[in-house]
Amino acid sequence: MMFDAAQVEAAMGDAATAIPVARLALLRGLAIQTVRAATRLTGGPGTAKPGAYPIPIRTGTLRRGHNFQVQGDTVVVFNDTVYARANHDGFRPYGNPRAHVIPGRPFYDDALTQLDLQAAADAAATALGAK
């Protein structure tokens, strides 16, 4: 998943022009919110049903795999575990055609619905001493 500064500014409209210096701080704040929300969605009890949220914790590796990197005007949010995509998109266990399909739990898509643009903008302004 990527956040592009130009796309975020376009989505924010006039509010983005008030914080041109804070672009990266804003993107970083959005990435942090996304990682935190995805971490909540992937940190459930081991008794959670397949396909339900939060995703059960077995070892904690999926939950610890969330991270982000700033690359120029872009922030990339990712999970570096080998099975993150299978949990996100769903899978058929062990490639067995008779096994029940485990439905995907799109934790990054769902994390994006929890973003608070105003909170990210306020945090960026505060970090730059504007508030």
Side-chain angles (χ1 to χ4, degrees):
M1 163 183 329
M2 295 178 66
F3 292 106
D4 182 86
Q7 290 175 341
V8 171
E9 285 180 353
M12 291 185 67
D14 293 337
T17 60
I19 54 171
V21 178
R23 273 174 35 156
L24 287 181
L26 174 64
L27 290 175
R28 185 176 184 281
L30 292 172
I32 289 169
Q33 283 187 41
T34 304
V35 167
R36 286 181 180 162
T39 299
R40 282 191 303 274
L41 292 170
T42 56
T47 57
K49 295 181 180 179
Y53 276 127
I55 297 173
I57 297 173
R58 299 285 192 275
T59 64
T61 305
L62 178 66
R63 183 178 56 176
R64 286 190 305 271
H66 300 294
N67 210 336
F68 69 93
Q69 284 184 327
V70 178
Q71 301 170 345
D73 282 344
T74 303
V75 177
V76 179
V77 179
F78 60 92
N79 189 301
D80 60 5
T81 58
V82 295
Y83 48 86
R85 184 175 197 105
N87 275 283
H88 190 273
D89 298 341
F91 63 99
R92 182 176 302 278
Y94 313 111
N96 181 345
R98 292 184 300 259
H100 294 287
V101 173
I102 304 297
R105 289 164 285 190
F107 46 85
Y108 280 128
D109 298 345
D110 295 336
L112 288 176
T113 66
Q114 299 176 22
L115 287 179
D116 183 348
L117 292 176
Q118 188 59 51
D122 291 345
T126 300
L128 295 170
K131 282 194 172 184

